[in-house]
Amino acid sequence: VSAATLSNVGTINANGGAVSAAVTNAGTFNVGGTVTGNNSFINNGGGTLAIAAAGNYGGLSALTNAGTIPDNADYQVMLEP
């Protein structure tokens, strides 16, 4: 996906590739593989960001959460230059 913004109110299943957009999520955003971002991810109230055990969502410039991020995996916060 390459756009200025990506607004989700349904379900997105990201199993690999790049999301080159600022994401605003009010639905369900599932990460099942290696996904690379280059912008911010805002998980609004009512939104779910679910990263599977085999999933990896890297490259985000910021993550803002007011929704749900299920505690079903080990999460690492890594600062990149």
Side-chain angles (χ1 to χ4, degrees):
V1 174
S2 181
T5 60
L6 172 64
S7 295
N8 177 43
V9 294
T11 300
I12 292 178
N13 295 310
N15 294 311
V19 178
S20 299
V23 178
T24 301
N25 182 51
T28 301
F29 196 103
N30 297 311
V31 178
T34 299
V35 176
T36 302
N38 71 347
N39 212 311
S40 62
F41 191 103
I42 299 171
N43 196 40
N44 288 331
T48 299
L49 171 59
I51 301 175
N56 182 338
Y57 193 176
L60 295 174
S61 62
L63 172 63
T64 303
N65 183 49
T68 302
I69 300 176
D71 187 13
N72 57 0
D74 291 329
Y75 296 101
Q76 295 180 348
V77 176
M78 300 174 62
L79 297 177
E80 298 181 7

